Structures are given as C-alpha cells and as structure tokens.
Amino acid sequence: ETGVTQSPTHLIKTRGQQVTLRCSSQSGHNTVSWYQQALGQGPQFIFQYYREEENGRGNFPPRFSGLQFPNYSSELNVNALELDDSALYLCASSSPRTGWSSPLHFGNGTRLTVT
Amino acid sequence: DAKTTQPPSMDCAEGRAANLPCNHSTISGNEYVYWYRQIHSQGPQYIIHGLKNNETNEMASLIITEDRKSSTLILPHATLRDTAVYYCIVRGDTGTASKLTFGTGTRLQVTL
C-alpha cells in the first residue's frame, strides 16, 4: 500500500511569486486535505477536496486554491506569496467510504521558504 | 470541535511506559479522541482513536475516562524513536471530515 507522497520536498520562492505543490493520495483514498504548519506550531487546516470539488475551507484567503484530479491526486496553489507563507505544507488523505471518522494519513510535506 | 489541553513537554526513560495525558472537558457525545505524533521534519502519523471504550493497537493504548473529559495515551515500552510531538485531537462530524484542529501538543523526550 503506497502512502501519501508530496513533491517537491523543499522549495524557495520570492515574495509575490506563485507556487504549486503536489500530492498523491494513499491508494483507495478519495478525499484530500491540505494543512499549513508554521514553525513551532501545530498544522492548520486549509481546505478539503472530495470528488474534485472543494467542500470545506479553513481561515485562509482566496489566494490559496487547489485542485483534485480524477485519480484523487491534488495540487495546492498559492498566489502572490508573502513572507508569512513560509511553512511546511502537508497533504492528508482519507477514505470516508469507511465513515467520517476514518483517520487521516499525512505525507511528509513540502517545506516552502519565501524570501 | 472541543478544545484539548496537554502538558507542553514530558520525559520518559527508554523501556518504560510513557503516559501522555489530555484534557477535553467540553467533548460532545459523538466526538472522537484522536492521537497523532510528529517526528521532526515528518508529517503527522496517526496513532489511535476512540469514542468511549479503551482502545489498543500495535502502537499504543488509549484510555478514556468514563465521563470522557480526559484521556491518556500509553506507549507501553518507549524507545528513542518515540521521541516526537504528540497531539491529542477531538474530532466531530462537522461536515468537513478532514478538518482536524491541532493544538501545540506534548513534546515527549525519550532518554537512555
């Protein structure tokens, strides 16, 4: 069983640029979510995708957007990067087919540095 | 989702049991207690979850008090590889199944 994989592992961007992060969900998982983890803090929920549509969002501005593809993989796009966007971005997948309480499984994240 | 309270840090000797407490006094009847851990530079790893009965798996045991206002994660024989930040999370059926509210967790240091 393949776990959640994310790419790239590290990325450096300049303020004002745009970035795309990628995630392949765990085999059989049809729901993907994204989290932002600033240094020294717990992860914060950005949004969730199910059936290729966003169906839940945390307290993040519209410049954070995403996509989910028919194979359940996903992208996180961040426009107009700000210095505070520097963080570890985590992707998680789950299979609500087994109920809403099924555990989320996380990838190891993409470390984004904005200079 | 209900708020959780955990001690910021704990130490445990290798080979001994690590007992990590969590307070969730405002938990609702249909909310589960989840435990995740995060080893440095990795993503959170699912450990265990439960509703009201005690649970055990190959990684740990979860003891939930009868009033459900607190719980304890038990790692029966801690090793150096168990050094990590442990998060206790309460999760309910809010309609956004993937939304977990992480706090700052407990940093467990396992020592020789």
Side-chain angles (χ1 to χ4, degrees):
Chain A
E1 184 179 83
T2 307
V4 177
T5 58
Q6 294 186 242
S7 62
T9 56
H10 294 82
L11 201 52
I12 299 174
K13 289 287 190 177
T14 303
R15 190 171 51 182
Q17 286 187 317
Q18 178 265 343
V19 69
T20 298
L21 310 181
R22 294 178 175 82
C23 170
S24 293
S25 61
Q26 185 166 317
S27 177
H29 287 188
N30 58 7
T31 300
V32 174
S33 53
W34 287 90
Y35 285 76
Q36 180 196 67
Q37 186 173 23
L39 207 58
Q41 299 182 20
Q44 284 197 295
F45 175 75
I46 302 174
F47 45 51
Q48 161 185 301
Y49 275 80
Y50 174 66
R51 292 185 175 179
E52 301 176 46
E53 289 190 3
E54 181 185 308
N55 69 344
R57 189 176 186 96
N59 189 26
F60 282 82
R63 59 189 186 84
F64 285 79
S65 63
L67 285 172
Q68 186 183 30
F69 301 99
N71 66 354
Y72 308 137
S73 65
S74 176
E75 288 182 355
L76 166 66
N77 299 290
V78 187
N79 294 321
L81 284 167
E82 302 175 0
L83 295 180
D84 284 349
D85 295 334
S86 294
L88 181 67
Y89 288 86
L90 297 159
C91 173
S93 71
S94 62
S95 178
R97 282 191 287 259
T98 55
W100 66 264
S101 62
S102 61
L104 274 64
H105 295 272
F106 287 82
N108 284 329
T110 294
R111 171 74 60 189
L112 173 66
T113 302
V114 182
T115 62
Chain B
D1 295 332
K3 184 180 168 60
T4 62
T5 304
Q6 299 178 252
S9 64
M10 294 183 64
D11 292 328
C12 179
E14 189 175 35
R16 304 296 294 270
N19 297 283
L20 292 91
C22 179
N23 181 287
H24 33 78
S25 58
T26 60
I27 193 170
S28 299
N30 65 345
E31 290 181 320
Y32 284 76
V33 178
Y34 286 76
W35 284 84
Y36 281 79
R37 73 180 182 185
Q38 189 170 24
I39 296 168
H40 183 61
S41 297
Q42 296 183 20
Q45 178 189 21
Y46 166 75
I47 301 173
I48 198 167
H49 74 285
L51 183 62
K52 51 185 176 182
N53 297 322
N54 297 337
E55 302 287 345
T56 296
N57 62 20
E58 64 279 2
M59 289 183 68
S61 294
L62 173 60
I63 308 298
I64 302 174
T65 58
E66 193 169 339
D67 63 7
R68 302 185 70 239
K69 293 185 177 182
S70 65
S71 61
T72 301
L73 178 75
I74 302 172
L75 308 178
H77 305 287
T79 71
L80 296 177
R81 287 180 294 182
D82 292 322
T83 292
V85 177
Y86 287 76
Y87 295 99
C88 170
I89 299 165
V90 169
R91 180 189 187 194
D93 186 8
T94 62
T96 305
S98 299
K99 184 179 180 183
L100 300 180
T101 302
F102 288 80
T104 51
T106 296
R107 184 170 300 276
L108 176 68
Q109 181 69 51
V110 181
T111 57
L112 290 172

